[in-house]
Amino acid sequence: MKQEALGMVHILYLIQKKRMSIQQLEQVATSGNSFSIQPIVQKLHHYGYVYLVYYQTDVYVSMTQKGSKLLNKAIKMYV
């Protein structure tokens, strides 16, 4: 569970500045980590922390305002 929570925070941190496709997230986020991106993104989307943009054959992930608040809370907890 802790690994999944860290994965969620890591993904939110990566997409805070710009939206990224699932493929880009997999390349960036999984280097050195053992978690899978898609289930975490689905869970973040389910709880309203990110929204998914379907464009041609790609799926892009962007953070909602609720996700931004969660990221800020997590950063304050860990720092």
Side-chain angles (χ1 to χ4, degrees):
M1 187 68 176
K2 185 177 180 181
Q3 181 73 15
E4 185 180 44
L6 290 175
M8 287 180 170
V9 171
H10 185 63
I11 289 171
L12 289 174
Y13 180 77
L14 289 172
I15 63 170
Q16 71 178 339
K17 298 285 186 208
K18 64 174 186 169
R19 87 177 149 197
M20 298 176 82
S21 72
I22 298 267
Q23 291 176 339
Q24 289 172 321
L25 276 173
E26 284 178 349
Q27 290 172 355
V28 174
T30 56
S31 59
N33 296 314
S34 61
F35 58 86
S36 179
I37 294 297
Q38 289 187 356
I40 295 174
V41 169
Q42 288 174 346
K43 190 171 275 190
L44 287 169
H45 177 65
H46 176 74
Y47 290 116
Y49 296 120
V50 299
Y51 61 91
L52 304 176
V53 178
Y54 297 90
Y55 181 73
Q56 294 177 354
T57 59
D58 291 330
V59 179
Y60 290 90
V61 183
S62 282
M63 190 176 348
T64 63
Q65 199 169 20
K66 186 177 176 182
S68 181
K69 289 179 183 177
L70 178 69
L71 178 62
N72 289 334
K73 271 187 186 177
I75 288 172
K76 287 177 185 174
M77 279 178 38
Y78 289 113
V79 175

